[in-house]
Amino acid sequence: MTHADVHALTERRERLLGPGNPLFYDEPVHLVRGEGVWLHDADGNRYLDCYNNVPCVGHCHPRVVEALCAQAGTLNTHTRYLHENILDYAESLLSKFDASLDRVALACTGSEANDLALRVARVNTGGEGFICTNATYHGNTTAVGQLNSIFQPIGGYGEHIRMVPWPDAYRALNDLSGDELADAYADEVKQAIDSFAEAGIPFAGMLVCPIFANEGLPDVPPGYMAKAVAHVREAGGLYIADEVQSGFGRTGRWWGHQQSAVVPDIVTLGKPMGAGHPISGVVARGALLDNYRAHEMYFNTFGGNPVSCAVAMAVLDVIDDEELVQNAADVGNYVLGCFNDLKSRHESIGDVRGSGLFFGIDLVEDRDTKAPAADKARAVVNEMRRHGVLMSKIGEHDNVLKLRPPLCFSRDNADQLVETLDRVLEAA
Ligand SMILES: Cc1ncc(COP(=O)(O)O)c(C=O)c1O
């Protein structure tokens, strides 16, 4: 594509979709095909995908495509007719969780799953007040948009929301470390709960990503989650783990919440669940969902339809058969080692974090002050794209390189990524 072609496409996009629909990269990528960890653009260039967690089993995995086409060519309705697919899928999905989490409701997007989780928590606790972190995003419904520091909700925040600092061991609260740091961050949760009581707002729960992915993927101080959740439960609230990003093997375990060994009351799922097909879910203790359903009938026209369930089932099967959770752990460890090696040679890397195939590289202006280097992060992301490697950035300061390749990422892929990043950082 010529420069003029790209310009025409971008202009057409803006005319039809309007401004405010951001594109990745200063030079947008026009993708036309994907396969495994590879993406191909309209000019035949190939990119190593180090960003997309949704096609978790690899782009256009043949078994997922086949499952989709077979069911789409047979029947697609909704969940008000009997069908085995939803039951087979529910059984397989729930078998991946702690036995206490034994019920599931299906929807289409992560936002819907979180919205439903909030309703379930409200009905079961009689509460209204929710806690989230101060650098997060959980979705775009009116209710979920309140638990969101990245975009201001229309009309502002309600009285029923409290944002607590996310547990960051790198730019740590009061320069604390270890148990003291975990206590200090957990105490912020306690203070938020107390402030609800003072304001006369009954408490419903805490909704957080268990690995704080959008916050910048911190090394969570050990013990933090157990302490924070203990405060939540003592006050009668529920712990909702948003696993929309961290679920389905991403962290080298099936679920992000397994890192802390605290079993949530409710787990929300999305993104990789259908490897690109829109399916999401709420997994919870049975009593919580049953009690909710006694108050309100939840129906989602597309959620849990036979095609979605066939696709989601194929995703689970591929993760199991290709041992992708183990692969995420193994290759992830290898990549983390390589990134730490890069850190020893590049002053701009302040911190390297991650688990499984999910990494954050915190770029700084100065290692002593830890001043976030957002401009550098942006430049590196754009330069990597020019060198055929796709990634992005996140975090409260927008300075953390974010990498989440498909779970079939290999050591060879890792070497290409690390060598390219080395060169780009050197040039930067
Ligand atoms: C942690 C988290 N939860 C929920 C969502 C919302 O998911 P969806 O865009 O499918 O509604 C996102 C989206 O980025 C997310 O990162």
Side-chain angles (χ1 to χ4, degrees):
M1 287 181 87
T2 63
H3 199 70
D5 293 335
V6 173
H7 187 68
L9 209 56
T10 327
E11 246 187 16
R12 184 172 166 221
R13 189 175 183 274
E14 184 147 331
R15 179 167 46 82
L16 293 168
L17 309 181
N21 281 286
L23 286 162
F24 280 145
Y25 310 112
D26 292 346
E27 294 166 46
V29 188
H30 180 202
L31 297 172
V32 292
R33 192 164 64 82
E35 186 183 3
V37 295
W38 301 106
L39 287 166
H40 302 259
D41 73 11
D43 292 325
N45 298 310
R46 190 171 83 149
Y47 300 86
L48 179 63
D49 185 1
C50 296
Y51 179 72
N52 286 291
N53 61 334
V54 170
C56 58
V57 291
H59 290 275
C60 304
H61 194 289
R63 285 177 64 185
V64 176
V65 174
E66 193 188 317
L68 188 149
C69 294
Q71 188 58 48
T74 307
L75 174 77
N76 201 19
T77 51
H78 52 74
T79 51
R80 295 224 199 153
Y81 299 103
L82 285 173
H83 202 281
E84 286 85 354
N85 279 15
I86 190 169
L87 306 177
D88 293 344
Y89 181 62
E91 226 157 50
S92 293
L93 180 69
L94 292 172
S95 76
K96 307 292 184 199
F97 285 92
D98 183 85
S100 63
L101 299 167
D102 57 356
R103 245 359 152 262
V104 59
L106 296 176
C108 303
T109 66
S111 302
E112 282 183 339
N114 281 328
D115 197 276
L116 176 57
L118 297 183
R119 292 181 198 210
V120 172
R122 288 180 60 181
V123 166
N124 278 278
T125 61
E128 297 283 329
F130 284 100
I131 292 173
C132 64
T133 77
N134 60 354
T136 194
Y137 176 75
H138 293 288
N140 57 20
T141 72
T142 301
V144 178
Q146 289 279 322
L147 294 150
N148 168 7
S149 65
I150 292 176
F151 307 108
Q152 295 279 323
I154 294 164
Y157 293 102
E159 274 300 299
H160 65 296
I161 300 300
R162 299 285 184 277
M163 292 184 177
V164 295
W166 50 285
D168 183 6
Y170 181 56
R171 293 183 184 84
L173 195 65
N174 302 328
D175 283 332
L176 295 168
S177 60
D179 282 349
E180 283 183 341
L181 185 62
D183 285 339
Y185 278 121
D187 196 49
E188 296 279 343
V189 173
K190 172 83 171 70
Q191 285 176 36
I193 294 169
D194 291 346
S195 84
F196 278 131
E198 282 156 24
I201 297 168
F203 178 49
M206 177 172 81
L207 171 66
V208 290
C209 165
I211 61 167
F212 302 93
N214 288 328
E215 288 81 345
L217 209 68
D219 287 326
V220 178
Y224 164 77
M225 198 55 97
K227 289 170 181 176
V229 171
H231 290 315
V232 167
R233 287 181 175 153
E234 265 162 39
L238 298 176
Y239 164 33
I240 305 167
D242 177 343
E243 295 259 10
V244 167
Q245 283 204 60
S246 59
F248 293 94
R250 174 57 46 193
T251 62
R253 298 178 171 92
W254 264 98
W255 311 112
H257 68 259
Q258 289 171 312
Q259 266 181 18
S260 72
V262 180
V263 178
D265 301 296
I266 302 174
V267 178
T268 59
L269 306 170
K271 294 189 190 275
M273 193 168 181
H277 185 88
I279 176 166
S280 69
V282 174
V283 169
R285 284 192 275 118
L288 296 178
L289 267 181
D290 296 352
N291 197 25
Y292 163 73
R293 285 190 190 280
H295 282 73
E296 180 173 87
M297 189 208 73
Y298 183 76
F299 175 63
N300 188 313
T301 301
F302 302 120
N305 70 67
V307 172
S308 297
C309 289
V311 169
M313 188 74 187
V315 171
L316 279 191
D317 287 345
V318 172
I319 294 177
D320 273 336
D321 295 350
E322 297 184 9
E323 300 181 354
L324 294 181
V325 180
Q326 193 55 47
N327 189 64
D330 295 344
V331 179
N333 268 338
Y334 175 70
V335 175
L336 209 54
C338 297
F339 283 167
N340 274 308
D341 183 47
L342 289 185
K343 183 183 160 197
S344 68
R345 289 183 290 112
H346 295 282
E347 277 291 305
S348 57
I349 299 182
D351 195 26
V352 167
R353 310 186 280 263
S355 54
L357 281 168
F358 204 156
F359 312 98
I361 301 178
D362 198 313
L363 298 187
V364 292
E365 301 292 354
D366 178 301
R367 278 199 180 167
D368 292 330
T369 64
K370 300 178 183 174
D375 289 347
K376 193 169 287 174
R378 183 188 167 94
V380 168
V381 167
N382 277 301
E383 206 48 33
M384 290 293 283
R385 171 248 182 270
R386 281 185 206 108
H387 285 75
V389 178
L390 300 184
M391 53 194 269
S392 188
K393 55 192 170 54
I394 35 159
E396 186 175 357
H397 313 290
D398 214 20
N399 68 315
V400 180
L401 302 180
K402 174 186 189 180
L403 299 105
R404 306 168 301 194
L407 301 177
C408 51
F409 205 66
S410 69
R411 280 184 181 231
D412 281 351
N413 301 146
D415 288 339
Q416 180 183 340
L417 159 65
V418 173
E419 280 159 27
T420 313
L421 187 56
D422 196 8
R423 269 187 283 132
V424 166
L425 285 170
E426 194 65 49

